């Protein structure tokens, strides 16, 4: 276990120099205070969890103090936003403080979001508000606990600094951790600004540090792109299987590592709705829940375009062609497991699709349905769940098909079935209304609810005593919360 001053830095991205990022010091927030910290994320840095309670912790992650070896930098990137190319983006309110490596030899970027203005702030104030910082913190750690690849969050530090959004709010910072903060948009920036040397330097950097195994392949860059395609297909399959809606799948928000990245107006589905749009400024539903699958491919094509200096167009196209089949395979595998199946049959896809279609018009809670399906035998669970469906006859027909399918699957006791299904079907999910309750309390200075919710969501598959209220359908007020896109 380390103390805060014992972190070891190795700032590899900063060493790429001024063509890639700009030195900027964080701008401190007033009266910093710890809102919440993640022990699991602390462990990634070998930090003793007790240090989160020390005043220096809040000072470090609110811009008041900096390690001598930190080199805060605002990264330069661009990207496609809602389908259109924006030539200059970059870290407008976040800074890469440096790269820390832990005792296991892993490197973690420390990125402080909400750290003040940078040359890339455009019209923004460089700040993040408490509300959005709490949402990013909770989502990062909750996704990770569900087994969905994601950036991580060490802590949220609150303050008394006023920040204007639709109304006056308070500034906060979230300390984000990821093995890299390089986005698709980094490659796009150097491609569209026609800087082939820097583009090559960036590609070398990513290949060497993040895809070293691709070096062994005959065409290392192609192998790397293929791996990025595969990781994205798997990540998005997990989003779809668990009902996660990202909301702003612009290419500047897509990580080169295939991890969920940059949380804005995201949401987990309550009732199943394939057409759900969580981002209220997404009028056309470009990033609706079901569109996430084709948009994943669209984004990979945008990256492919930026990689044309290194890889032939034919090879890029062939790799892009792997995305949908890989997505389908991962998705179906997870959905089979969510249904408690241990073998594969040709009709399984149709079984899943039929179920989702029935859910679509019924207002069935997506998370609780699967959890309850595993509570008892297929027959008993189906009998109990049918009341939730508007088309009960339709559901009965599906349940017959499902029971027959279960009967053909590996023989297992009810106990084994429950264990197997509960291990993949969460009881607790980050529902918007739960996050909202925690935020409302935090905005009045009470951080206990954020901490409790974080705690519950860190073990989503395990029933926790006294936490029944976190495993309920949303109350009426919480069903259609408008989550502000301003963050
Ligand atoms: P996002 O929608 O958070 O992914 O941000 C898109 C771009 O806008 C990024 O370049 C951000 O750094 C920048 N940005 C977002 N909010 C602010 C803000 N309050 N101040 C400065 N830049 C911002
Ligand atoms: Mg972003």
């Amino acid at each position: 276990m380390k103390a805060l001053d014992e972190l070891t830095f190795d700032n590899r991205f900063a060493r790429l120099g001024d063509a890639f990022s700009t030195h900027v010091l964080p701008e401190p927030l007033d009266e910093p205070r710890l809102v919440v910290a993640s022990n699991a994320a602390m462990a990634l840095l070998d930090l003793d969890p007790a240090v989160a309670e020390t005043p220096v912790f809040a000072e470090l992650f609110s811009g008041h103090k900096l390690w001598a070896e930190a080199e805060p930098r605002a990264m330069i990137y661009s990207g496609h936003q809602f389908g259109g190319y924006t030539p200059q983006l970059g870290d407008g309110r976040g800074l890469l403080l440096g790269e820390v490596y832990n005792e296991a030899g892993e490197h973690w970027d420390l990125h402080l979001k909400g750290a003040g203005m940078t040359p890339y702030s455009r019209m923004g104030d460089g700040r993040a508000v408490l509300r959005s910082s709490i949402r990013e913190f909770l989502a990062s750690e909750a996704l990770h606990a569900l087994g969905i690849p994601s950036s991580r969050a060490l802590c949220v530090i609150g303050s008394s600094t006023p920040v204007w959004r639709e109304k006056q709010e308070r500034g906060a910072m979230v300390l984000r951790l990821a093995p890299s903060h390089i986005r698709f948009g980094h490659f796009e920036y150097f491609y569209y600004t026609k800087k082939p040397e820097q583009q090559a330097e960036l590609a070398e950097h990513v290949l060497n540090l993040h895809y070293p195994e691709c070096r062994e392949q005959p065409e290392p860059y192609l192998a790397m792109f293929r791996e990025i395609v595969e990781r994205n297909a798997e990540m998005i399959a997990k989003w779809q299987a668990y009902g996660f809606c990202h909301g702003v799948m612009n290419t500047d928000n897509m990580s080169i590592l295939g991890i969920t990245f940059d949380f804005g107006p995201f949401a987990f589905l309550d009732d199943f709705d394939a057409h759900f749009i969580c981002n209220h400024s997404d009028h056309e539903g470009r990033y609706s829940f079901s569109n996430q699958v084709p948009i994943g491919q669209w984004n990979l094509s945008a990256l492919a375009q930026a990689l044309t200096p290194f890889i032939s167009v034919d090879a890029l196209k062939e790799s892009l062609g792997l995305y949908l089949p890989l997505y389908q395979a991962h998705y179906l595998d997870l959905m089979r497991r969510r249904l408690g199946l241990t073998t594969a049959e040709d009709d399984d896809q149709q079984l899943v699709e039929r179920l989702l279609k029935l859910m679509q018009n019924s207002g069935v809670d997506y998370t609780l349905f699967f959890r309850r399906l595993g509570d008892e035998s297929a027959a008993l669970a189906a009998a109990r769940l049918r009341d939730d469906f508007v088309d009960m006859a339709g559901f009965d027909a599906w349940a017959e098909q499902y029971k027959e399918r279960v009967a053909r699957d590996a023989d297992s006791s009810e106990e084994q079935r429950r264990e197997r299904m509960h291990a993949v079907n969460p009881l607790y999910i980050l529902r918007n209304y739960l996050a909202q309750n925690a935020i409302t309390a935090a905005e009045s200075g009470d951080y206990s609810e954020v901490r409790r919710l974080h705690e519950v969501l860190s073990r989503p598959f395990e029933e926790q005593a006294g936490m029944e209220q976190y495993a309920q359908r949303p109350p009426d007020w919480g069903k259609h919360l408008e989550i502000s896109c301003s963050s």
Side-chain angles (χ1 to χ4, degrees), residues 93 113-114 125-136 163-166 169-174 248 262-266 483-487:
R93 56 161 165 180
K113 189 164 176 180
D125 58 5
R127 290 304 190 195
V129 295
L130 182 62
R131 159 177 59 79
S132 66
S133 305
I134 288 175
R135 279 172 54 83
E136 168 139 8
V163 174
W164 283 94
R165 294 296 180 256
E166 284 88 1
E169 301 191 41
R170 299 290 169 189
M173 294 190 198
V174 59
V248 200
D262 257 15
F263 295 89
F266 71 84
I483 299 302
S484 167
C485 302
S486 65
S487 57

Side-chain angles (χ1 to χ4, degrees), residues 77 81 113 183 252-253 261-262:
Y77 53 83
Q81 300 187 304
K113 189 164 176 180
R183 308 149 189 259
D252 54 299
N253 291 338
F261 198 68
D262 257 15

Side-chain angles (χ1 to χ4, degrees), residues 147-361:
I148 304 177
S150 174
S151 59
R152 304 292 303 273
L154 188 76
C155 62
V156 175
I157 306 295
S159 79
S160 61
T161 303
V163 174
W164 283 94
R165 294 296 180 256
E166 284 88 1
K167 56 185 169 67
Q168 185 184 297
E169 301 191 41
R170 299 290 169 189
M173 294 190 198
V174 59
L175 194 285
R176 181 162 66 193
L177 299 174
S180 169
H181 275 66
I182 298 176
R183 308 149 189 259
F184 289 11
H186 277 83
F187 283 94
E188 293 182 283
Y189 176 78
F190 293 107
Y191 174 75
Y192 288 105
T193 52
K194 300 194 169 55
K195 292 179 177 153
E197 279 162 33
Q198 277 103 355
Q199 168 86 330
E201 220 180 318
L202 179 70
E204 274 297 296
H205 179 89
V206 174
L207 184 67
N208 287 337
L209 302 189
H210 304 296
Y211 292 95
E213 65 290 350
C214 296
R215 272 253 167 263
E216 318 300 321
Q217 300 294 319
E219 288 188 67
Y221 288 131
L222 176 60
M224 177 168 86
F225 180 65
R226 232 173 235 177
E227 179 70 25
I228 295 170
V229 170
E230 285 190 35
R231 289 192 194 184
N232 273 270
E234 184 169 357
M235 171 187 76
I236 293 174
K238 289 183 174 174
W239 291 359
Q240 302 310 114
Y242 283 115
F244 177 76
C245 201
H246 181 284
V248 200
M249 287 175 73
N250 294 336
T251 56
D252 54 299
N253 291 338
M254 301 304 292
S255 157
I256 206 74
L257 300 180
I259 59 177
T260 315
F261 198 68
D262 257 15
F263 295 89
F266 71 84
F268 277 93
L269 299 180
D270 289 308
D271 294 355
F272 182 79
D273 177 7
H275 313 301
F276 183 67
I277 303 166
C278 63
N279 182 347
H280 291 278
S281 35
D282 182 8
H283 305 296
E284 278 155 26
R286 179 180 173 85
Y287 299 140
S288 73
F289 180 64
S290 57
N291 267 1
Q292 296 189 124
V293 181
I295 287 292
Q297 182 157 21
W298 194 98
N299 287 341
L300 286 162
S301 317
L303 175 63
Q305 180 67 43
L307 294 177
T308 47
F310 310 109
I311 308 167
S312 78
V313 171
D314 285 345
L316 285 166
K317 278 191 180 152
E318 198 193 316
S319 304
L320 281 171
L322 300 172
Y323 170 81
L324 267 183
L326 280 168
Y327 163 80
Q328 274 299 349
H330 281 297
Y331 178 74
L332 197 54
D333 177 57
L334 240 177
M335 294 308 284
R336 276 196 187 104
R337 292 199 278 141
R338 296 205 74 179
L339 288 171
L341 303 173
T342 61
T343 56
E345 282 188 13
D346 288 347
D347 278 351
D348 291 345
Q349 168 136 359
Q350 181 251 11
L351 186 72
V352 171
E353 282 167 6
R354 265 182 85 189
L355 173 64
L356 296 184
K357 213 166 184 177
L358 286 160
M359 282 188 171
Q360 176 69 30
N361 299 315

Side-chain angles (χ1 to χ4, degrees), residues 99-119:
E99 295 166 60
V100 165
Y101 65 93
N102 65 16
E103 272 155 18
E106 300 161 338
H107 278 70
W108 288 97
D109 279 7
L110 304 192
H111 176 101
L112 193 58
K113 189 164 176 180
M117 301 244 271
T118 78

